Amino acid sequence: MIKQKYQSVLDLGTELNIQNGDVSEENGVLKIKGTANTQYEKNIIWDQIKAIGGKHPTDIQADIKVADESVYHRHTVKSGETLGKIAKHYYGDPMKYKQIFQANSDILKNPDMIHPKQELVIPKL
């Protein structure tokens, strides 16, 4: 029953390719663990847990580690995206595009010129 309640969290873990994943149930508590690629992916999982179980759920315990702690995330540019749109997605503020541009100055020479399939570092703020 508890596993069904949090099935969307488990599905998200699969979608995000969480490594070393393990799920068990003990005394009515769902225990999940695994390693997310980045902090951003870990946050997405926690957001989903809280959406289902509330701010402080008592029926689930999650131990999610992060494989790459040097960045917030790595983003592959899609057609039509701008640094402002990407910054709004990750930080909620399009003006933080400057931080993304700075973190990728080795591959970007102009903040208005990004191309599909470029992999950008989304820095920790």
Side-chain angles (χ1 to χ4, degrees), residues 3-54:
K3 191 173 178 183
Q4 285 179 320
K5 177 179 176 182
Y6 288 100
Q7 188 60 51
S8 65
V9 173
L10 303 177
D11 293 344
L12 181 59
T14 300
E15 181 183 322
L16 294 174
N17 198 26
I18 299 300
Q19 298 300 302
N20 306 315
D22 187 51
V23 178
S24 62
E25 191 176 333
E26 189 176 303
N27 299 322
V29 176
L30 188 65
K31 296 182 177 194
I32 61 173
K33 67 178 182 175
T35 303
N37 289 317
T38 63
Q39 183 64 45
Y40 173 74
E41 291 180 356
K42 177 180 177 175
N43 291 355
I44 290 174
I45 291 173
W46 272 107
D47 289 347
Q48 184 66 24
I49 289 170
K50 290 176 188 174
I52 296 167

